[in-house]
Amino acid sequence: MKNFLAISDFSSQEIQALLDLAIQLKKEFFASGNPPLFKGKVLGMIFQKPSLRTRVSFDMAMRHMGGDALYLSPNEIGLGKRESIADVARVLSGYVSILMARVFEHEHVLELAKWSNIPVINGLSDYNHPCQGMADALTIQEKFGNLKGINVAYIGDGNNVAVSLMHVCAKLGANFTIANPEGYGIPAKPIEIARQITRETGGGLKFLVDPEEAVKGAQVIYTDTWTSMGQEDEQAKREKLFPPYQVNSNLVAKADKDVIVMHCLPAHRNHELTDDVADGPHSVIFPQAHNRLHAQKAILARLLGVA
Ligand code: CP
Ligand code: NVA
């Protein structure tokens, strides 16, 4: 493993092995603490967009395992503006051991990976959010044992989070369904990648418009913001279109009785997810957020070559 840029770059076996390592590291962390496998290693964290979970969970993952992390804000680096991405990558390669970047254009994280001679992790781009996808799969695996044959219904915008969730479901043989308003679906290219994966794994894929149809038999309901970072000028239009896709108690009642409700957070409460569902018995949104820490420890350990 040189970089961690997309779930689809890895085999099903590699993804499953990462999840199993995450479970092992999580158990170890709560039993006795993790050993200092990252001693002397520093993670450089480049952010072009705001973050709570990604920033803090990566920082703490490094600290728990004896390493350190450095936060580089949008204003400081000016990725591709103050300095070319290729130059930033080559300079940072001499200072830190590994990089994580949250960017607007996916091309920018690819460019960083191309020019750096240290590993690069994608901490969210406009295309995907693979670290989130791993934490999501970890959360589903903890609940159901594994993802094979699990019915996952994503309700809302076909965005970066939806792409990584679809790909991790495809890799692990889950049945992924999305319901989105017309024109707000997952783009054709990642769908084609998912189709290729499911030909091998037997996972299911369904692309619907009706949220009620999507949640029939669902063991997982997933939603995310209707307006992602960088789309703020579309917000008013989206707020008018998306209300039929709200995950509320009526929709949850139409799914499997033991359904879990997931959201990558930050949640826009009473927009895509109502308070009663977010704070109700089906919700796993906080354990899901906490799983970012454990999933990312596994990713870091693999990329740093210590596990
Ligand atoms: N889910 C997630 O990536 O959260 P942040 O934007 O707060 O990092
Ligand atoms: N789809 C959201 C996810 C935030 C973690 C965004 O890109 O803003």
Side-chain angles (χ1 to χ4, degrees), residues 176-295:
F176 175 86
T177 300
I178 180 170
N180 56 264
E182 303 268 13
Y184 291 86
I186 297 174
K189 197 176 151 201
I191 290 179
E192 184 43 40
I193 293 171
R195 287 199 202 285
Q196 279 170 20
I197 300 168
T198 54
R199 269 179 221 127
E200 285 171 25
T201 64
L205 291 171
K206 264 195 223 162
F207 303 95
L208 306 177
V209 173
D210 180 0
E212 293 194 3
E213 194 186 337
V215 301
K216 264 186 222 148
Q219 290 146 299
V220 177
I221 294 177
Y222 199 118
T223 191
D224 183 18
T225 183
W226 296 334
T227 307
S228 285
M229 292 179 278
Q231 299 174 330
E232 289 75 10
D233 54 351
E234 293 176 30
Q235 186 164 1
K237 187 173 155 207
R238 286 169 173 266
E239 287 290 333
K240 281 200 196 106
L241 260 169
F242 276 83
Y245 294 82
Q246 182 184 69
V247 173
N248 52 35
S249 52
N250 280 339
L251 192 69
V252 173
K254 298 198 162 65
D256 189 273
K257 69 175 189 356
D258 294 322
V259 68
I260 57 171
V261 174
M262 302 180 71
H263 190 308
C264 62
L265 305 181
H268 304 81
R269 283 169 171 258
N270 303 315
H271 292 247
E272 76 271 10
L273 181 64
T274 54
D275 275 337
D276 59 336
V277 173
D279 299 325
H282 296 284
S283 173
V284 297
I285 59 177
F286 297 115
Q288 177 189 359
H290 299 157
N291 274 339
R292 292 290 300 276
L293 178 65
H294 311 294

Side-chain angles (χ1 to χ4, degrees), residues 5-302:
L5 304 175
I7 302 263
S8 54
D9 292 343
F10 303 97
S11 69
S12 302
Q13 289 73 18
E14 286 169 321
I15 296 292
Q16 188 57 59
L18 268 176
L19 291 176
D20 295 342
L21 178 60
I23 288 169
Q24 185 195 317
L25 290 168
K26 181 174 179 178
K27 233 184 247 162
E28 184 181 66
F29 174 65
F30 287 116
S32 54
N34 299 124
L37 298 178
F38 301 164
K39 195 168 167 20
K41 306 286 185 193
V42 177
L43 170 72
M45 306 192 291
I46 300 175
F47 282 95
Q48 290 192 306
K49 298 173 179 172
S51 169
L52 171 66
R53 279 142 293 271
T54 305
R55 176 179 176 176
V56 180
S57 59
F58 266 109
D59 193 333
M60 293 313 297
M62 290 304 292
R63 293 191 206 193
H64 287 166
M65 298 188 66
D68 214 337
L70 197 63
Y71 171 72
L72 301 159
S73 76
N75 297 341
E76 274 161 312
I77 297 211
L79 197 65
K81 293 192 180 91
R82 181 170 183 268
E83 196 164 357
S84 79
I85 295 173
D87 286 359
V88 169
R90 285 176 289 183
V91 169
L92 285 174
S93 293
Y95 294 157
V96 297
S97 332
I98 178 164
L99 281 174
M100 187 275 293
R102 166 167 288 193
V103 299
F104 285 97
E105 289 169 50
H106 187 63
E107 277 303 313
H108 290 180
V109 73
L110 298 181
E111 180 85 354
L112 266 177
K114 178 179 164 196
W115 288 99
S116 65
N117 45 31
I118 55 174
V120 175
I121 299 172
N122 176 0
L124 179 148
S125 73
D126 286 1
Y127 170 63
N128 65 352
H129 195 0
C131 297
Q132 183 68 53
M134 293 304 291
D136 298 342
L138 177 58
T139 309
I140 299 170
Q141 175 165 333
E142 283 179 334
K143 171 75 184 173
F144 298 106
N146 60 60
L147 275 79
K148 186 96 194 144
I150 298 295
N151 299 324
V152 178
Y154 180 101
I155 308 299
D157 187 27
N159 62 16
N160 44 9
V161 168
V163 165
S164 289
L165 183 68
M166 173 176 72
H167 285 166
V168 83
C169 284
K171 286 282 176 192
L172 299 174
N175 300 315
F176 175 86
T177 300
I178 180 170
N180 56 264
E182 303 268 13
Y184 291 86
I186 297 174
K189 197 176 151 201
I191 290 179
E192 184 43 40
I193 293 171
R195 287 199 202 285
Q196 279 170 20
I197 300 168
T198 54
R199 269 179 221 127
E200 285 171 25
T201 64
L205 291 171
K206 264 195 223 162
F207 303 95
L208 306 177
V209 173
D210 180 0
E212 293 194 3
E213 194 186 337
V215 301
K216 264 186 222 148
Q219 290 146 299
V220 177
I221 294 177
Y222 199 118
T223 191
D224 183 18
T225 183
W226 296 334
T227 307
S228 285
M229 292 179 278
Q231 299 174 330
E232 289 75 10
D233 54 351
E234 293 176 30
Q235 186 164 1
K237 187 173 155 207
R238 286 169 173 266
E239 287 290 333
K240 281 200 196 106
L241 260 169
F242 276 83
Y245 294 82
Q246 182 184 69
V247 173
N248 52 35
S249 52
N250 280 339
L251 192 69
V252 173
K254 298 198 162 65
D256 189 273
K257 69 175 189 356
D258 294 322
V259 68
I260 57 171
V261 174
M262 302 180 71
H263 190 308
C264 62
L265 305 181
H268 304 81
R269 283 169 171 258
N270 303 315
H271 292 247
E272 76 271 10
L273 181 64
T274 54
D275 275 337
D276 59 336
V277 173
D279 299 325
H282 296 284
S283 173
V284 297
I285 59 177
F286 297 115
Q288 177 189 359
H290 299 157
N291 274 339
R292 292 290 300 276
L293 178 65
H294 311 294
Q296 288 158 198
K297 279 181 187 172
I299 295 165
L300 289 163
R302 275 292 145 78

